[in-house]
Amino acid sequence: MEETDREAVATAVQRVAGMLQRPDQLDKVEQYRRREARKKASVEARLKAAIQSQLDGVRTGLSQLHNALNDVKDIQQSLIDVNKDWRQSINTIENLKDVKDAVVQHSQLAAAVENLKNIFSVPEIVRETHDLIERGELLQAHRKLMDLECSRDNLMYEQYRMDSKNTHDMNLIHTYFGDMQKLSEELAKQLWMVVQRSLVTVRRDPTLLVSVVRIIEREEKIDRRMLDRKKQTGFIPPGRPKKWKENMFNILERTVSTRIEGTQADTRESDKMWLVRHLEIIRKYVLDDLLVAKTLLDQCFPPHYDIFNRLLNMYHQALATRMQELAAEDLEANEIVSLLTWVLNTYTSAEMMGNSELSPEVDVNSLDALISQNVVDQLLNKYMSTLTSNIIGWLRKALETDKKDWIKETEPEADQDGYYQTTLPAIVFQMFEQNLQVAAQINEDLKTKVLILCLQQMNSFLTRYKDEAQLYKEDHLRNRQYPQCYVQYMIAVINNCQTFKESIISLKRKYLKSDMEDTLSISHANMDATLDIIAKEGCSSLLDEVFMDLEPHLNELMTKKWLMGSNAVGTICVTVEDYFNDFAKIKKPYKKTMTLEAHRRVVVEYIRAIMLKRISFKNAEERKEGAERMIKEAEQFRFLFKKLAAGSGEDTEGLCDIIEAIAEVIKLTDPSLLYLEVSTLVSKYPDIRDDHIAALLTVRGDASRDMKQTIIETLDQGPSQPNPNYVPIFKEITVPTLTVPKLLK
């Protein structure tokens, strides 16, 4: 309390301080005092009222507790009186046992009298009911059957009440009504036939199906009533509960399963497309049945049956069972694809469960998977394994077929631009394309895996392709007359490399996601490198073919015969041009590379002929004549390869400049300037070696041994500043160490 008083005083002081902050507020002190007095009086009044209310409530509660105590005492006394009266009436109740038995007997007799007419007419009613069932009047037949069952059940119930252990009388009643059980079974058989054909019946005669449902509903009500009575009395008639509703759904479920299983009309032995046909028939049947169930069947059943969703679940379970059975079979690769495509895509597509006419009752997103992910993975692994073997076999067969074309006596076909080609790239990539399209039907992951597989196998295939092209070249070299169209087919092989490159890029662009590019970059680079090697070796083999034909004419260069007017270079140019008419069938950029290589090899062979020292000029006149001939022939080469390289944009003149530079050394008339001319040659072509200079001076014919030695030693001491754009050529040319005998004139 002291703490509370202190807090109150502190609060009051704070409030007064807030009211009297300015001098002018002192005039209002009396006003403030009166206002606070009113507030205090109001609070005190409210406190008094609250305390009074609490006191009144306590007073009322005490009064009610006193009254309740009196009531409890009165009830206790009443219970004592009731107990006394009950004990006194026990003897009276025992004296009424005879009356009780009489009442039970009267009840039984009353039931017998009530059903007497039905009891005597049971055989006749049975016959009438049987006739009604045969005529298909199921509702009337069921009505009579219900009457018979009601009579039997009432009699048996009364007998049970009188003496539940009297099985003889029970059996007597049961035997008398024995034919009724057969009628019930016969009626049920008719009902189940209608239920089995419900999807057909609902289109032809929906009233019949409605009658069946009404009968089942009646039996369900009777079952519930009998089960309730069993809880009270312990008695239930024989054959109850019939559970016809449960049986109906069981029969529907078996019917659905049979319908799904019965759609397989063929086997693998009779039809390779058996699974595709089987799945398509299932799709059509299921969609049609569900549409009928939604539009017609749903109207024939009470809403609480939820018949459409029940049927939907039945079809889903039956399909899941069937798909698992199919997945467990030894399926081929194409069959695995068909199954997975159907299960993962077709089933939820607009062609089936996603059909707009089934919406919104069918939500494809809420449907469970027909087969587990584990089974899907197993099938995919099996498919990839089989596909790998198939692709290897297909590629091997395609290459063998292509090799057979290489030895044909007819030229290969040309594409629309006139370039030679074989069918190998088209066959290979058509096969890849087909498998990728199939994989894309299943999912993106499988498509990516198949693409990676195809490119991996393509990598291995190109290695075999390179080896076969090499063997093709070697076989030809053993007998250059065979095969007849070697050049044309080697051109086709080279062109195939470019086609392969373009096809690989196209395949990746079409089927590979951009974020997967890095995964295959190394593999792609390896394939490009292998293709370039194949093309390069093919071009080299074709040039080898050219230079084998040129060999006799190259051997004439820098000989006495050549000096006296041999047309070897003219023949070389004509031969090269003739070959390049065929080489025009080579695609860019290999055609461009081949032209440059041919130009280079011609120049190398020409320079090699000089370095072989087949001729040694005797005097200045011969040197002049030979040099001018070399310059003329360099111009012929320049003109030829400029013509062959037309449109390529390449500078083809630089190589021929080497021949002209050598000609200038030979043509020089003043030996004192020979060192200067040779040093100029070396500065332009720094890969020229001492033996090249020695051979060149030997061909010139007027340089002594000492002069050669001096020039070579002086050149070795001089600085070398090679042109950064110069491609070494002399390193390919070997100078013979032995003295080459002079050719006869």
Side-chain angles (χ1 to χ4, degrees), residues 187-203:
L187 178 61
K189 184 178 179 181
Q190 294 296 319
L191 297 182
W192 307 148
M193 288 177 62
V194 175
V195 170
Q196 286 175 347
R197 296 173 52 81
S198 57
L199 291 170
V200 177
T201 304
V202 75
R203 287 184 258 195

Side-chain angles (χ1 to χ4, degrees), residues 40-223:
K40 179 181 178 183
S42 175
V43 169
E44 289 177 349
R46 287 200 300 273
L47 285 172
K48 290 178 180 179
I51 292 171
Q52 185 64 40
S53 176
Q54 291 292 330
L55 290 173
D56 292 342
V58 170
R59 187 180 295 110
T60 303
L62 290 172
S63 176
Q64 290 175 347
L65 287 172
H66 180 72
N67 293 336
L69 179 61
N70 293 333
D71 291 342
V72 168
K73 291 179 179 179
D74 293 341
I75 292 170
Q76 185 178 16
Q77 184 61 42
S78 299
L79 287 173
I80 293 171
D81 296 340
V82 169
N83 185 44
K84 186 185 297 183
D85 293 340
W86 174 73
R87 290 183 182 279
Q88 292 175 355
S89 64
I90 289 177
N91 295 331
T92 305
I93 293 172
E94 290 178 353
N95 294 333
L96 292 175
K97 184 176 184 302
D98 295 338
V99 177
K100 178 182 176 183
D101 293 341
V103 170
V104 172
Q105 187 175 11
H106 179 270
S107 176
Q108 292 173 342
L109 291 172
V113 170
E114 184 180 350
N115 293 287
L116 193 59
K117 182 179 179 181
N118 289 338
I119 291 172
F120 284 114
S121 60
V122 165
E124 182 182 353
I125 296 174
V126 168
R127 285 193 299 272
E128 291 177 358
T129 306
H130 181 73
D131 293 340
L132 289 171
I133 293 174
E134 287 188 343
R135 293 199 300 269
E137 299 177 14
L138 302 181
L139 277 175
Q140 296 181 28
H142 186 250
R143 173 59 64 185
K144 289 186 175 293
L145 179 63
M146 287 171 63
D147 292 340
L148 288 173
E149 288 180 341
C150 183
S151 298
R152 182 202 64 178
D153 296 346
N154 288 339
L155 288 172
M156 295 184 80
Y157 176 64
E158 294 302 331
Q159 177 61 38
Y160 178 83
R161 287 178 61 194
M162 184 174 68
D163 186 3
S164 61
K165 296 181 180 180
N166 188 350
T167 57
H168 179 269
D169 290 346
M170 283 286 194
N171 291 335
L172 181 64
I173 298 172
H174 186 64
T175 303
Y176 185 75
F177 285 90
D179 290 340
M180 185 186 67
Q181 184 62 31
K182 295 180 181 178
L183 282 178
S184 179
E185 293 172 358
E186 188 176 344
L187 178 61
K189 184 178 179 181
Q190 294 296 319
L191 297 182
W192 307 148
M193 288 177 62
V194 175
V195 170
Q196 286 175 347
R197 296 173 52 81
S198 57
L199 291 170
V200 177
T201 304
V202 75
R203 287 184 258 195
R204 297 179 180 176
D205 186 8
T207 56
L208 177 59
L209 184 59
V210 172
S211 298
V212 170
V213 176
R214 288 179 61 188
I215 291 170
I216 292 171
E217 276 293 279
R218 288 175 183 173
E219 290 294 336
E220 283 294 301
K221 290 178 181 178
I222 296 173
D223 279 350

Side-chain angles (χ1 to χ4, degrees), residues 263-281:
T263 55
Q264 183 175 344
D266 303 296
T267 61
R268 184 183 294 117
E269 291 72 21
S270 61
D271 186 357
K272 290 294 183 183
M273 301 297 290
W274 69 276
L275 185 57
V276 174
R277 290 169 55 83
H278 180 38
L279 294 174
E280 176 58 21
I281 293 172

Side-chain angles (χ1 to χ4, degrees), residues 409-444:
E409 296 182 357
T410 55
E411 293 183 354
E413 296 180 357
D415 62 12
Q416 65 271 20
D417 297 320
Y419 298 117
Y420 285 138
Q421 63 178 7
T422 67
T423 58
L424 182 63
I427 291 173
V428 169
F429 281 92
Q430 183 180 8
M431 181 260 293
F432 286 169
E433 184 90 16
Q434 289 172 351
N435 283 285
L436 284 166
Q437 288 174 357
V438 167
Q441 295 174 6
I442 298 178
N443 55 43
E444 286 292 321

Side-chain angles (χ1 to χ4, degrees), residues 422-477:
T422 67
T423 58
L424 182 63
I427 291 173
V428 169
F429 281 92
Q430 183 180 8
M431 181 260 293
F432 286 169
E433 184 90 16
Q434 289 172 351
N435 283 285
L436 284 166
Q437 288 174 357
V438 167
Q441 295 174 6
I442 298 178
N443 55 43
E444 286 292 321
D445 289 341
L446 181 63
K447 183 185 71 173
T448 303
K449 288 181 181 178
V450 172
L451 177 60
I452 292 172
L453 171 64
C454 290
L455 294 180
Q456 287 174 344
Q457 295 304 321
M458 184 69 188
N459 219 338
S460 302
F461 167 76
L462 290 177
T463 302
R464 294 196 300 272
Y465 191 49
K466 177 171 70 70
D467 294 340
E468 293 297 340
Q470 183 64 28
L471 291 174
Y472 182 54
K473 171 188 173 182
E474 293 172 1
D475 289 342
H476 173 69
L477 291 177

Side-chain angles (χ1 to χ4, degrees), residues 271-443:
D271 186 357
K272 290 294 183 183
M273 301 297 290
W274 69 276
L275 185 57
V276 174
R277 290 169 55 83
H278 180 38
L279 294 174
E280 176 58 21
I281 293 172
I282 288 177
R283 184 199 67 78
K284 187 177 184 304
Y285 280 12
V286 172
L287 180 59
D288 290 347
D289 290 353
L290 290 178
L291 288 174
V292 170
K294 180 184 176 183
T295 56
L296 299 176
L297 200 65
D298 202 34
Q299 302 174 15
C300 298
F301 286 80
H304 66 272
Y305 273 56
D306 196 16
I307 190 64
F308 177 75
N309 285 324
R310 293 287 290 266
L311 270 176
L312 177 64
N313 290 332
M314 290 177 192
Y315 273 102
H316 181 79
Q317 291 302 322
L319 286 172
T321 301
R322 184 56 184 155
M323 295 305 116
Q324 289 167 6
E325 291 172 353
L326 291 172
E329 295 187 14
D330 187 17
L331 298 177
E332 297 178 354
N334 61 316
E335 294 169 349
I336 292 174
V337 169
S338 299
L339 180 63
L340 290 179
T341 302
W342 197 93
V343 167
L344 300 178
N345 299 323
T346 304
Y347 182 61
T348 56
S349 70
E351 297 178 351
M352 200 171 176
M353 293 302 187
N355 190 286
S356 58
E357 296 184 38
L358 293 177
S359 180
E361 285 75 7
V362 178
D363 181 8
V364 294
N365 296 321
S366 64
L367 293 174
D368 295 333
L370 291 177
I371 54 178
S372 66
Q373 187 60 44
N374 185 40
V375 175
V376 171
D377 293 340
Q378 290 176 3
L379 288 174
L380 288 176
N381 291 336
K382 181 179 179 182
Y383 172 72
M384 290 300 294
S385 176
T386 306
L387 183 61
T388 302
S389 301
N390 289 344
I391 288 178
I392 292 172
W394 291 332
L395 290 174
R396 184 179 293 111
K397 184 177 180 181
L399 184 54
E400 291 298 324
T401 303
D402 205 55
K403 283 168 56 182
K404 292 178 182 177
D405 290 342
W406 294 355
I407 59 176
K408 286 182 178 179
E409 296 182 357
T410 55
E411 293 183 354
E413 296 180 357
D415 62 12
Q416 65 271 20
D417 297 320
Y419 298 117
Y420 285 138
Q421 63 178 7
T422 67
T423 58
L424 182 63
I427 291 173
V428 169
F429 281 92
Q430 183 180 8
M431 181 260 293
F432 286 169
E433 184 90 16
Q434 289 172 351
N435 283 285
L436 284 166
Q437 288 174 357
V438 167
Q441 295 174 6
I442 298 178
N443 55 43

